[in-house]
Amino acid sequence: MTKKTHLNWSNAKSSTPSQEYFYNTPVGLLSIKVHANILLKTEWLTKIKNARPGHLPETILQPLNHYWQTAAMDFAVPLAIQGTHFQQKVWQALCHIPLGQTHTYGELAKELNTSPRALANACRCNPFPLIIPCHRIVAKTGLGGYAGQTSGTMIEIKRALLQHENKLTHEL
């Protein structure tokens, strides 16, 4: 059901200034930073309520809209190279978790021959939430954390993303 996504890493060196766009989703506002057609970062904004969305490039807008319609993320835009080799390995593994499913920190840590804590730290550093689905990693006894938080708005976003994906995958 889910195609295995290979992250498209790219070097973001250019004299072109970066731009920030805002994308309103059903679960919150997403900041999207782009530099010369390379995605630099996505970040859930919990404090800004009414940012002007701007005109996102179609190459970014289409896959995001597709996700909210189908829960499938098919993102081909190059991502700025970030993180350590280990973090990139974890982020790539997150992209292989099937849509509508979750893995525990322990399960994925065992698969990657690392510790759950190291895996959680790599998830916390994910520069592309939503695109790299770290929300699909849960604790053995609950939701676990999301974006470095274990309660509050970020956990509500994680819960909403999982519900969205679960609902749409069961409708297909």
Side-chain angles (χ1 to χ4, degrees), residues 64-78:
L64 290 173
N65 288 339
H66 180 73
Y67 173 80
W68 292 108
Q69 294 166 355
T70 66
M73 182 57 73
D74 187 12
F75 204 84
V77 173

Side-chain angles (χ1 to χ4, degrees), residues 9-144:
W9 295 114
S10 182
N11 194 340
K13 290 183 180 173
S14 168
S15 60
T16 309
S18 63
Q19 293 185 301
E20 182 174 20
Y21 301 95
F22 300 97
Y23 181 75
N24 287 306
T25 78
V27 302
L29 186 62
L30 193 63
S31 163
I32 300 167
K33 293 182 181 149
V34 180
H35 179 76
N37 295 320
I38 297 171
L39 195 63
L40 295 176
K41 183 176 180 78
T42 61
E43 180 179 20
W44 292 109
L45 299 178
T46 58
K47 294 186 172 125
I48 300 172
K49 298 295 181 201
N50 294 314
R52 269 192 26 199
H55 298 289
L56 264 170
E58 279 298 310
T59 55
I60 296 172
L61 184 61
Q62 284 182 334
L64 290 173
N65 288 339
H66 180 73
Y67 173 80
W68 292 108
Q69 294 166 355
T70 66
M73 182 57 73
D74 187 12
F75 204 84
V77 173
L79 307 175
I81 297 171
Q82 295 180 49
T84 65
H85 175 72
F86 173 75
Q87 288 170 331
Q88 290 176 9
K89 180 179 168 183
V90 169
W91 299 336
Q92 184 64 60
L94 294 170
C95 292
H96 294 269
I97 299 172
L99 182 62
Q101 295 182 24
T102 59
H103 283 29
T104 66
Y105 292 98
E107 289 169 339
L108 191 57
K110 185 175 182 182
E111 215 175 282
L112 296 176
N113 196 26
T114 190
S115 73
R117 183 165 294 189
L119 181 97
N121 285 333
C123 289
R124 181 180 302 116
C125 295
N126 177 3
F128 305 105
L130 189 60
I131 296 164
I132 297 175
C134 56
H135 59 275
R136 294 183 190 156
I137 295 293
V138 297
K140 192 188 315 186
T141 59
L143 280 179

